[in-house]
Amino acid sequence: MPAHHDDYARSAEFIDVMIAGWWEAFGAHVAEAVASMKGAEGPVVDVGAGGGPGTRVLLDTLPEAEVIAVEPSPALRAVLLSRAADPFWGGGRVTVHGEDLLSARLPERLGGLLAMNVLGHFTPHQRARIWTMLADRLAPGSAALVNLLPPHEPATIERVVMSELTVGRRDYKGWSAAVPTGPESVRWSMTYEVHEAGEPVWSTDVDYDWWCLTGEGLRAEAARHGLEAAPTGPDEAGLFLLRHGAGAGA
């Protein structure tokens, strides 16, 4: 398995619970778009599957589909694999890949692809490789569903609470901030805190790079590879369906 820098090595335990709010807000819109993207042949790929919230949407929305869940973070993948192995959760339809998307052994024909809250981990060069792969492998009538998270252009994001919740006797809080690192990127700084009875138990800090992209930029990149990127769902979700486009390209 190729070496992979794990941005979630210290924060994996918090990811599923702290992104649950995003899925509560936009999961139905993701499912609606997913329902329209499955082609007649090939499995559906969940990119950066984490603990499996998107995989669960694929299983529920496409009950006949085989799902390949790609998650390079070992800690996140441990949760994903345990769920996929549960016959009541995955029903034997989920295969877990531990490589990153561009290293994974994927079939030559894909029935669709889901990439939620992950595109910013890929550099512009890596994105171009993804669009090439989709142009080559997406089955006729199938689509890829991606989303763009703010900031869409480099900007300073002041430190704010991004999520907080209580589990049992303990309270969990996540903070986030970002600073520009170049004309197309920012660096996110996250702090995760655990408290019990008002007293700090422990905390951890995580930094990682994120590549920004606007909707216009996505459409232009996709078009250069013969794909059309069309927005779907509410603007706040940042959802785009990518399909083979007639005459699209530069």
Side-chain angles (χ1 to χ4, degrees), residues 44-68:
V44 177
V45 178
D46 185 8
V47 181
T55 305
R56 181 73 260 167
V57 171
L58 292 174
L59 291 170
D60 291 344
T61 310
L62 304 172
E64 304 302 320
E66 176 191 357
V67 179
I68 295 176

Side-chain angles (χ1 to χ4, degrees), residues 123-143:
T123 68
H125 175 70
Q126 290 170 329
R127 289 200 307 264
R129 291 176 59 194
I130 294 171
W131 311 144
T132 297
M133 183 267 289
L134 291 176
D136 291 342
R137 299 194 187 192
L138 274 179
S142 63

Side-chain angles (χ1 to χ4, degrees), residues 149-155 157 178 186 188 210-213:
L149 292 175
H152 303 303
E153 296 179 307
I157 309 296
V186 298
W188 282 103
W210 189 260
W211 293 89
C212 305
L213 186 61

Side-chain angles (χ1 to χ4, degrees), residues 108-125:
E108 291 301 314
R109 187 62 80 189
L110 302 178
L113 180 139
L114 180 69
M116 291 294 97
N117 306 322
V118 72
L119 201 56
H121 285 302
F122 296 97
T123 68
H125 175 70

Side-chain angles (χ1 to χ4, degrees), residues 40 49 74 90 225:
H225 295 81

